Amino acid sequence: MATILRFVSRARRTAQSSFAPSRCSIFTTSRRLADPWPLPGSPEHLASTETPSDEARIQPLERPNESLGTLRARLVYQSRKRGTLESDLLLSTFARDNLKNMSEEELKQYDKLLDEPDWDIYYWATGKRTPPDRWANTVLLEKLKAHARNEGKVVRRMPSL
């Protein structure tokens, strides 16, 4: 019986000392308390997704002799497979609703827009950031902004490929 009591008291002392305030590591720095995945639209997310203006851009592939049907099909796919769900939903529903009525020149302009970073397109369309001069007054971006406003309050789902 005495051995059991010694064992229990030793276990209590060990448990108490291992949870003593001096041994607990509570992180209180702001960096460690910051959310590693801030919500889109929050000031933290806007700041962390800012694209530097001096960033070297990868040149898009030249596609000589691409037919209009192939161009449309490629743009539908590229609108759907962006990398962020927000951009995928916005651009894929925009492509579904608008690509069939676009001229070849508008399709090429949309192709150039898709070469921009995802979060830039998303925030330009939602009005959270000012677009650069090359996109500021384009009809295409105005159509995308109107689509993003969703004035008809349509429930949007990813279109099937």
Side-chain angles (χ1 to χ4, degrees):
M1 182 68 133
T3 9
I4 293 175
L5 289 176
R6 267 186 267 143
F7 177 74
V8 170
S9 66
R10 184 184 305 153
R12 273 194 196 138
R13 281 193 311 269
T14 306
Q16 287 172 349
S17 65
S18 65
F19 293 110
S22 62
R23 288 188 171 206
C24 286
S25 59
I26 298 173
F27 303 114
T28 57
T29 62
S30 62
R31 186 171 80 70
R32 289 187 178 161
L33 291 178
D35 188 358
W37 296 282
L39 291 174
S42 66
E44 296 86 14
H45 193 265
L46 281 165
S48 68
T49 58
E50 188 72 40
T51 303
S53 60
D54 60 343
E55 182 179 274
R57 296 307 245 330
I58 298 173
Q59 293 300 317
L61 294 174
E62 292 294 323
R63 295 181 171 86
N65 304 323
E66 184 176 40
S67 70
L68 203 55
T70 305
L71 175 63
R72 270 199 181 92
R74 181 173 57 79
L75 293 177
V76 166
Y77 184 81
Q78 287 179 339
S79 297
R80 170 82 187 246
K81 302 293 182 179
R82 298 296 299 174
T84 60
L85 182 60
E86 294 83 359
S87 296
D88 290 350
L89 184 59
L90 178 68
L91 293 172
S92 64
T93 55
F94 178 79
R96 179 196 60 206
D97 297 344
N98 293 290
L99 284 185
K100 60 184 169 276
N101 301 324
M102 286 184 177
S103 68
E104 186 174 1
E105 194 58 40
E106 289 173 317
L107 290 172
K108 288 181 179 180
Q109 187 179 27
Y110 184 65
D111 190 16
K112 288 179 183 175
L113 179 69
L114 291 181
D115 291 334
E116 300 287 345
D118 288 353
W119 286 116
D120 286 347
I121 297 171
Y122 178 78
Y123 285 132
W124 297 338
T126 56
K128 299 278 185 179
R129 284 193 191 139
T130 306
D133 293 338
R134 65 183 176 273
W135 295 111
N137 297 316
T138 60
V139 174
L140 177 65
L141 192 58
E142 291 305 317
K143 284 182 183 179
L144 187 58
K145 285 179 180 181
H147 183 77
R149 280 192 299 270
N150 194 12
E151 292 169 348
K153 303 296 182 210
V154 177
V155 176
R156 296 204 170 126
R157 300 174 61 210
M158 291 292 248
S160 57
L161 288 174

mmCIF file of all heavy atoms in Angstrom, residues 130-153:
data_model
loop_
_atom_site.group_PDB
_atom_site.id
_atom_site.type_symbol
_atom_site.label_atom_id
_atom_site.label_comp_id
_atom_site.label_asym_id
_atom_site.label_seq_id
_atom_site.Cartn_x
_atom_site.Cartn_y
_atom_site.Cartn_z
ATOM 1 N N THR A 130 -7.322 49.439 -57.273
ATOM 2 C CA THR A 130 -7.399 50.192 -58.518
ATOM 3 C C THR A 130 -6.586 49.460 -59.581
ATOM 4 O O THR A 130 -5.415 49.157 -59.358
ATOM 5 C CB THR A 130 -6.824 51.612 -58.321
ATOM 6 O OG1 THR A 130 -7.504 52.210 -57.221
ATOM 7 C CG2 THR A 130 -7.001 52.445 -59.564
ATOM 8 N N PRO A 131 -7.192 49.182 -60.722
ATOM 9 C CA PRO A 131 -6.435 48.488 -61.772
ATOM 10 C C PRO A 131 -5.391 49.409 -62.391
ATOM 11 O O PRO A 131 -5.524 50.639 -62.353
ATOM 12 C CB PRO A 131 -7.507 48.109 -62.796
ATOM 13 C CG PRO A 131 -8.645 49.001 -62.531
ATOM 14 C CD PRO A 131 -8.579 49.408 -61.095
ATOM 15 N N PRO A 132 -4.341 48.839 -62.984
ATOM 16 C CA PRO A 132 -3.336 49.662 -63.647
ATOM 17 C C PRO A 132 -3.925 50.320 -64.891
ATOM 18 O O PRO A 132 -5.002 49.948 -65.367
ATOM 19 C CB PRO A 132 -2.229 48.670 -64.006
ATOM 20 C CG PRO A 132 -2.896 47.347 -64.035
ATOM 21 C CD PRO A 132 -4.025 47.422 -63.058
ATOM 22 N N ASP A 133 -3.211 51.278 -65.427
ATOM 23 C CA ASP A 133 -3.711 52.040 -66.575
ATOM 24 C C ASP A 133 -4.076 51.158 -67.763
ATOM 25 O O ASP A 133 -5.011 51.464 -68.501
ATOM 26 C CB ASP A 133 -2.674 53.081 -67.009
ATOM 27 C CG ASP A 133 -2.498 54.167 -65.961
ATOM 28 O OD1 ASP A 133 -3.422 54.352 -65.144
ATOM 29 O OD2 ASP A 133 -1.435 54.813 -65.960
ATOM 30 N N ARG A 134 -3.339 50.068 -67.972
ATOM 31 C CA ARG A 134 -3.610 49.214 -69.138
ATOM 32 C C ARG A 134 -4.978 48.539 -69.060
ATOM 33 O O ARG A 134 -5.506 48.104 -70.071
ATOM 34 C CB ARG A 134 -2.494 48.184 -69.324
ATOM 35 C CG ARG A 134 -2.373 47.174 -68.219
ATOM 36 C CD ARG A 134 -1.189 46.217 -68.437
ATOM 37 N NE ARG A 134 -1.021 45.318 -67.322
ATOM 38 C CZ ARG A 134 -0.325 45.576 -66.236
ATOM 39 N NH1 ARG A 134 0.283 46.726 -66.106
ATOM 40 N NH2 ARG A 134 -0.225 44.694 -65.274
ATOM 41 N N TRP A 135 -5.567 48.456 -67.847
ATOM 42 C CA TRP A 135 -6.883 47.830 -67.690
ATOM 43 C C TRP A 135 -7.948 48.783 -67.155
ATOM 44 O O TRP A 135 -9.131 48.435 -67.132
ATOM 45 C CB TRP A 135 -6.788 46.626 -66.745
ATOM 46 C CG TRP A 135 -5.954 45.528 -67.271
ATOM 47 C CD1 TRP A 135 -4.743 45.126 -66.811
ATOM 48 C CD2 TRP A 135 -6.238 44.697 -68.394
ATOM 49 N NE1 TRP A 135 -4.265 44.100 -67.568
ATOM 50 C CE2 TRP A 135 -5.163 43.812 -68.548
ATOM 51 C CE3 TRP A 135 -7.294 44.621 -69.290
ATOM 52 C CZ2 TRP A 135 -5.115 42.855 -69.553
ATOM 53 C CZ3 TRP A 135 -7.249 43.667 -70.293
ATOM 54 C CH2 TRP A 135 -6.171 42.800 -70.422
ATOM 55 N N ALA A 136 -7.560 49.966 -66.736
ATOM 56 C CA ALA A 136 -8.462 50.847 -65.991
ATOM 57 C C ALA A 136 -9.775 51.156 -66.721
ATOM 58 O O ALA A 136 -10.839 51.087 -66.121
ATOM 59 C CB ALA A 136 -7.740 52.140 -65.628
ATOM 60 N N ASN A 137 -9.730 51.474 -67.970
ATOM 61 C CA ASN A 137 -10.954 51.909 -68.667
ATOM 62 C C ASN A 137 -11.378 50.962 -69.781
ATOM 63 O O ASN A 137 -12.014 51.383 -70.732
ATOM 64 C CB ASN A 137 -10.743 53.310 -69.237
ATOM 65 C CG ASN A 137 -10.501 54.322 -68.139
ATOM 66 O OD1 ASN A 137 -11.188 54.309 -67.115
ATOM 67 N ND2 ASN A 137 -9.518 55.175 -68.313
ATOM 68 N N THR A 138 -11.050 49.700 -69.653
ATOM 69 C CA THR A 138 -11.411 48.759 -70.710
ATOM 70 C C THR A 138 -12.845 48.267 -70.536
ATOM 71 O O THR A 138 -13.351 48.159 -69.414
ATOM 72 C CB THR A 138 -10.470 47.547 -70.719
ATOM 73 O OG1 THR A 138 -10.563 46.890 -69.464
ATOM 74 C CG2 THR A 138 -9.035 47.950 -70.995
ATOM 75 N N VAL A 139 -13.483 47.978 -71.647
ATOM 76 C CA VAL A 139 -14.849 47.457 -71.632
ATOM 77 C C VAL A 139 -14.866 46.084 -70.965
ATOM 78 O O VAL A 139 -15.799 45.756 -70.218
ATOM 79 C CB VAL A 139 -15.398 47.381 -73.078
ATOM 80 C CG1 VAL A 139 -16.756 46.716 -73.122
ATOM 81 C CG2 VAL A 139 -15.454 48.765 -73.697
ATOM 82 N N LEU A 140 -13.823 45.299 -71.221
ATOM 83 C CA LEU A 140 -13.747 43.960 -70.652
ATOM 84 C C LEU A 140 -13.763 43.994 -69.123
ATOM 85 O O LEU A 140 -14.523 43.253 -68.487
ATOM 86 C CB LEU A 140 -12.478 43.252 -71.143
ATOM 87 C CG LEU A 140 -12.229 41.863 -70.585
ATOM 88 C CD1 LEU A 140 -13.322 40.899 -71.042
ATOM 89 C CD2 LEU A 140 -10.874 41.354 -70.999
ATOM 90 N N LEU A 141 -12.963 44.847 -68.529
ATOM 91 C CA LEU A 141 -12.935 44.919 -67.061
ATOM 92 C C LEU A 141 -14.258 45.462 -66.515
ATOM 93 O O LEU A 141 -14.719 45.030 -65.455
ATOM 94 C CB LEU A 141 -11.757 45.762 -66.569
ATOM 95 C CG LEU A 141 -11.474 45.674 -65.076
ATOM 96 C CD1 LEU A 141 -11.206 44.234 -64.648
ATOM 97 C CD2 LEU A 141 -10.310 46.552 -64.689
ATOM 98 N N GLU A 142 -14.887 46.360 -67.234
ATOM 99 C CA GLU A 142 -16.206 46.856 -66.801
ATOM 100 C C GLU A 142 -17.236 45.723 -66.812
ATOM 101 O O GLU A 142 -18.068 45.622 -65.909
ATOM 102 C CB GLU A 142 -16.666 48.020 -67.686
ATOM 103 C CG GLU A 142 -15.851 49.283 -67.494
ATOM 104 C CD GLU A 142 -15.800 49.752 -66.038
ATOM 105 O OE1 GLU A 142 -16.841 49.730 -65.352
ATOM 106 O OE2 GLU A 142 -14.702 50.126 -65.590
ATOM 107 N N LYS A 143 -17.190 44.866 -67.834
ATOM 108 C CA LYS A 143 -18.095 43.709 -67.883
ATOM 109 C C LYS A 143 -17.811 42.765 -66.718
ATOM 110 O O LYS A 143 -18.744 42.243 -66.096
ATOM 111 C CB LYS A 143 -17.910 42.940 -69.193
ATOM 112 C CG LYS A 143 -18.523 43.584 -70.397
ATOM 113 C CD LYS A 143 -18.288 42.674 -71.609
ATOM 114 C CE LYS A 143 -18.806 43.285 -72.879
ATOM 115 N NZ LYS A 143 -18.555 42.410 -74.046
ATOM 116 N N LEU A 144 -16.527 42.556 -66.432
ATOM 117 C CA LEU A 144 -16.146 41.676 -65.328
ATOM 118 C C LEU A 144 -16.585 42.264 -63.987
ATOM 119 O O LEU A 144 -17.057 41.533 -63.100
ATOM 120 C CB LEU A 144 -14.635 41.419 -65.345
ATOM 121 C CG LEU A 144 -14.092 40.391 -64.368
ATOM 122 C CD1 LEU A 144 -14.748 39.023 -64.578
ATOM 123 C CD2 LEU A 144 -12.588 40.276 -64.501
ATOM 124 N N LYS A 145 -16.476 43.580 -63.833
ATOM 125 C CA LYS A 145 -16.947 44.233 -62.595
ATOM 126 C C LYS A 145 -18.453 44.075 -62.428
ATOM 127 O O LYS A 145 -18.939 43.815 -61.328
ATOM 128 C CB LYS A 145 -16.577 45.715 -62.602
ATOM 129 C CG LYS A 145 -15.118 45.986 -62.324
ATOM 130 C CD LYS A 145 -14.850 47.483 -62.368
ATOM 131 C CE LYS A 145 -13.403 47.798 -62.088
ATOM 132 N NZ LYS A 145 -13.147 49.244 -62.115
ATOM 133 N N ALA A 146 -19.194 44.245 -63.525
ATOM 134 C CA ALA A 146 -20.652 44.075 -63.465
ATOM 135 C C ALA A 146 -21.001 42.627 -63.103
ATOM 136 O O ALA A 146 -21.925 42.376 -62.321
ATOM 137 C CB ALA A 146 -21.273 44.462 -64.801
ATOM 138 N N HIS A 147 -20.252 41.692 -63.646
ATOM 139 C CA HIS A 147 -20.465 40.278 -63.330
ATOM 140 C C HIS A 147 -20.161 40.010 -61.852
ATOM 141 O O HIS A 147 -20.885 39.272 -61.191
ATOM 142 C CB HIS A 147 -19.573 39.414 -64.234
ATOM 143 C CG HIS A 147 -19.763 37.959 -64.036
ATOM 144 N ND1 HIS A 147 -20.842 37.266 -64.534
ATOM 145 C CD2 HIS A 147 -19.007 37.042 -63.370
ATOM 146 C CE1 HIS A 147 -20.741 36.000 -64.196
ATOM 147 N NE2 HIS A 147 -19.632 35.835 -63.489
ATOM 148 N N ALA A 148 -19.114 40.614 -61.342
ATOM 149 C CA ALA A 148 -18.724 40.411 -59.939
ATOM 150 C C ALA A 148 -19.735 41.030 -58.976
ATOM 151 O O ALA A 148 -19.933 40.514 -57.868
ATOM 152 C CB ALA A 148 -17.336 41.000 -59.693
ATOM 153 N N ARG A 149 -20.369 42.128 -59.374
ATOM 154 C CA ARG A 149 -21.379 42.751 -58.497
ATOM 155 C C ARG A 149 -22.587 41.847 -58.310
ATOM 156 O O ARG A 149 -23.276 41.926 -57.296
ATOM 157 C CB ARG A 149 -21.816 44.095 -59.071
ATOM 158 C CG ARG A 149 -20.851 45.214 -58.787
ATOM 159 C CD ARG A 149 -21.443 46.567 -59.104
ATOM 160 N NE ARG A 149 -21.815 46.728 -60.496
ATOM 161 C CZ ARG A 149 -21.016 47.194 -61.456
ATOM 162 N NH1 ARG A 149 -19.780 47.536 -61.164
ATOM 163 N NH2 ARG A 149 -21.437 47.307 -62.692
ATOM 164 N N ASN A 150 -22.874 41.010 -59.314
ATOM 165 C CA ASN A 150 -23.965 40.037 -59.230
ATOM 166 C C ASN A 150 -25.267 40.708 -58.809
ATOM 167 O O ASN A 150 -25.885 40.328 -57.815
ATOM 168 C CB ASN A 150 -23.588 38.908 -58.271
ATOM 169 C CG ASN A 150 -24.504 37.711 -58.396
ATOM 170 O OD1 ASN A 150 -25.281 37.605 -59.338
ATOM 171 N ND2 ASN A 150 -24.428 36.820 -57.436
ATOM 172 N N GLU A 151 -25.657 41.715 -59.559
ATOM 173 C CA GLU A 151 -26.840 42.491 -59.197
ATOM 174 C C GLU A 151 -28.125 41.677 -59.228
ATOM 175 O O GLU A 151 -29.086 42.006 -58.544
ATOM 176 C CB GLU A 151 -26.938 43.714 -60.103
ATOM 177 C CG GLU A 151 -25.819 44.694 -59.808
ATOM 178 C CD GLU A 151 -25.698 45.808 -60.831
ATOM 179 O OE1 GLU A 151 -26.333 45.723 -61.903
ATOM 180 O OE2 GLU A 151 -24.960 46.760 -60.552
ATOM 181 N N GLY A 152 -28.149 40.608 -59.992
ATOM 182 C CA GLY A 152 -29.323 39.737 -60.021
ATOM 183 C C GLY A 152 -29.365 38.749 -58.873
ATOM 184 O O GLY A 152 -30.306 37.976 -58.746
ATOM 185 N N LYS A 153 -28.336 38.776 -58.023
ATOM 186 C CA LYS A 153 -28.232 37.879 -56.858
ATOM 187 C C LYS A 153 -28.375 36.406 -57.270
ATOM 188 O O LYS A 153 -29.064 35.618 -56.628
ATOM 189 C CB LYS A 153 -29.271 38.224 -55.784
ATOM 190 C CG LYS A 153 -29.194 39.642 -55.296
ATOM 191 C CD LYS A 153 -27.901 39.905 -54.597
ATOM 192 C CE LYS A 153 -27.870 41.331 -54.081
ATOM 193 N NZ LYS A 153 -26.579 41.907 -54.017
#
